[in-house]
Amino acid sequence: MTTLTSDRLKLVPFTDDHLDGLNTLNSDPEVMRYLSGRPDTREETVAVIEPVKQRWTEFGYSWWSFIDKESGWRLRPLLEIRPVYGLSPAG
């Protein structure tokens, strides 16, 4: 799979290796109050990752995990590229 880099960041495809970090955020009530309104269980986080992996397999892109190159700190995977069905390339 493709890895993208800039001077500061490395973007890597989201995998099971990122489960613990995502679950830490998804189980935080303060984070999730803005998303689903309640913390996720670990099982719910696993269920979120499965379609992400499937989109990587099917389309060759999906969620990216952002990694700060200097510190190695992983940021939440907020970038997701999805196909938009029914639109022509011109929009």
Side-chain angles (χ1 to χ4, degrees), residues 19-76:
L19 171 62
D20 290 337
L22 183 61
N23 185 244
T24 296
L25 289 168
N26 285 3
S27 62
D28 184 329
E30 284 300 307
V31 171
M32 295 306 288
R33 72 184 256 204
Y34 300 105
L35 300 172
S36 68
R38 64 170 183 77
D40 283 357
T41 65
R42 186 169 184 86
E43 293 75 24
E44 289 170 322
T45 303
V46 168
V48 166
I49 292 174
E50 289 307 313
V52 170
K53 295 188 313 186
Q54 180 60 37
R55 285 192 295 272
W56 272 109
T57 301
E58 186 176 346
F59 301 113
Y61 52 86
S62 189
W63 286 7
W64 299 86
S65 183
F66 289 63
I67 300 171
D68 179 81
K69 290 166 79 175
E70 185 175 324
S71 68
W73 188 69
R74 289 186 179 164
L75 301 119
R76 182 154 184 169

